[in-house]
Amino acid sequence: MKTSEAIKFIIDSTGMKKGKILFICVICMISACLHTGMNLVLLPLIDNTIMGTGGVAVKYAVAFILFVVLNTAFKYIRKYGINMLCISSEMYLTEKAIKKLGDKQMAFFENSREGEITLLINNRIKNYRFFLMDNIENFIFEPIDFIITFFAVWYVDKKVASIVFAVIILSAIGNFFLSNRIVRSSQNAYAAEDELRNYQKEIVENYDNVIMSHLNIHVAGIHQKKVERMLEKENILTKEGQWAYIPALLNEYLPTIIFLLLATFKISKGELTYGGFASLLSLISGVSLPITYYLRSFTRLKEQFPFIQKMRELLLDDDSRVEHEIIPDTTNIQNMVVFQNVSFSYDGKNECMNNLSYTVKKGEKIGIVGASGTGKSTMIKLIMGFYKPDTGEVKTLGEDAFQNQQKIWEKVAYVDNENFLFEGTIEYNITLKDDKLTGEEKRWYREICDTLCISDMENEERDIKQFGRNLSGGQRLRISLARALYRRAELLVLDEPSSSFDNQTEKLVIELLKEIDSTVILTTHRMGLLDICDRVISLKDGGIQVIEKVGEEKNEENIIAYDC
C-alpha cells in the first residue's frame, strides 16, 4: 500500500464535504502565520528593549501580546475543527460498516468470519479515531507551520536556515527507510490479533462441545500459542517503531544544538543580536518540532496500513451494485417476481438451483416448500437481492433484484423467524416513528392491531424490551407482521415465520393473508397457510414442481409427496 493511498483514505473516510476540509486547512494556515509572526516580533521587541527605545518597545510589546492572543484563539479553533473531523470519520466509517453488514453488499463480509467483523466495527474503528486525534493535526498543520517558519528563518539568517534544512532532510531520509520496516511488522501483528480474536469467538460459541469432547486442555494449549504469537509480533512491532523514532529525536534536538554553537560564535563577533538570538531560537524550534511530529505521525501511519487497507476494501472500493433513489412504480407491473433460467451455488460447484424458471403474478399468494437444504431460504434471498445468481436473472417488481435491492426494499416487506424488535412501545416497534401519528396513520395502525389482536397487548401497557425478550414467539411474530403491513408493501415475503406460531397466531395470520390484496410469498410447512396459497412451489434436487390450485387439490398428502 502506498502512503498517498493511505492519505487519500484518511480524507475520504471523514465523510466531510471538501469545503469543510478546506476551511480547516485555512484555519491551520492562519494559525501557522500567527505562530511565526509571534516569534518574529521577538527580534525587534528584545533589541529595542535593550537599546532603551521605550516607545518603540511598547509598540512591539502590544503587537507581541496581540499575536499571542490570536495564536491561542486560532489554536483552539484549529483543535476543535480537527476533533470534529476525527469524530466525523469514526461516525462515517461505523455507519458505512453497519450498513454494508446489514445489506450484505460486500464480499468481504461473506468471506470473513464473524469475529473479524465484530473486531473491526467494535475495536478497530475506535482505535483509528484515537490515531487520528493524536496525529491528524501533525499531517495538516505541522507541514504548513514548517514551511512558513522556515521562510521566516531564511529571512532572518540564511546560513542558519541552510544548515537546519540539511539536518532536517537527513532525518527525513533516515525516517523513511526505518519506517518502511514497520509496515510488514504491523501486518503480521494485525493478522496475529485477528487470528486470536476469531479463535476466542469459536471457543465461546462451541464451549459445550469442547467440554463434552474433553478437548479443553488441547484448546487451551492452542489458545496459549496464539496469545504468545500475537505478543511476539507486537513486541517486534514495538521495537521497530522505537528504532524508527530515532531520526525524529535527532531532528528535534540536533538543529537547536547546532544553532546554539553557531549563535555563540555569531554573538561574540557581533553578527547576531540578542533579539535575533531569541527570535531564531524560537523559530528553529518551530521548524524542527513540526517535522519531528510529522515524522512520528508518519511512522504511526505506516503502523495503520493493515487497518486502512482492510477498510478500503470494505467501504471505499467500487461496488458492483448501483444504488438508486427512485422507488419503483409497480402500478403497471403484472409479474411481481420472475426467475428466468436461474442457477445458483454457494461454492461455485454444488448447485442448489439448476436452470430454474417461474413467475409470481400480482396479487398471487405463493407457498414454497421443500426438505431442509433444498433452497427455500436461498430462493427468498435471491428474491430480496441478497445473492446474485450464477446464471440467469431474478427480477423483483420489474427490477434486477441484485443490482437494485435498495429500490426493491422500499416496496417489499420481509418477515422471518428472527423478529427483530427494539426497546420501546408497541406503537414505535410497528410504525418506527417517534413523532405523533396523523389521523390516517393512527386509523391504519389501529386496524392492523385489531386484526392481529395486538390491542390486547397494548391494553396491558407493556413496553417491549430489547429483542422482545419479554414476549412470546407468537407475540413477537405478530408485531413483526404488523410492522410489515403498516408499510402497505406491494410484496409481502414471509421466510419460515411458522416456527414461532402458536395456534392463535396461526389463525390470525391465515385470516389476515386471505383479506390483504398484496402479493404474498411464503415458505412454510403449515397446511393451514398452504391452503390459502394460489400455487405451491416444491423444491427438490435443484428444480421445482408447481402444484396449481385449479385442477390439482393441495391436500396434505400431495404436499408431503413433494416436501421430502
Side-chain angles (χ1 to χ4, degrees), residues 338-345 351 353-358 382 387-396 399-403:
V338 177
F339 272 55
Q340 187 67 40
N341 302 322
V342 172
S343 296
F344 179 80
S345 63
E351 290 185 340
M353 290 183 185
N354 182 20
N355 200 31
L356 190 151
S357 297
Y358 75 92
L382 286 165
Y387 301 147
K388 181 180 182 179
D390 296 339
T391 60
E393 184 179 42
V394 178
K395 283 194 172 184
T396 304
E399 302 283 348
D400 184 294
F402 185 77
Q403 294 289 342

Side-chain angles (χ1 to χ4, degrees), residues 306-335:
F307 165 82
I308 292 174
Q309 181 64 37
K310 180 73 72 175
M311 292 302 293
R312 283 180 72 239
E313 294 171 2
L314 167 62
L315 301 179
L316 301 181
D317 284 354
D318 291 335
D319 201 323
S320 61
R321 273 169 283 194
V322 180
E323 295 185 4
H324 301 273
E325 296 181 356
I326 302 173
I327 300 173
D329 182 7
T330 59
T331 307
N332 298 318
I333 294 176
Q334 295 304 313
N335 296 330

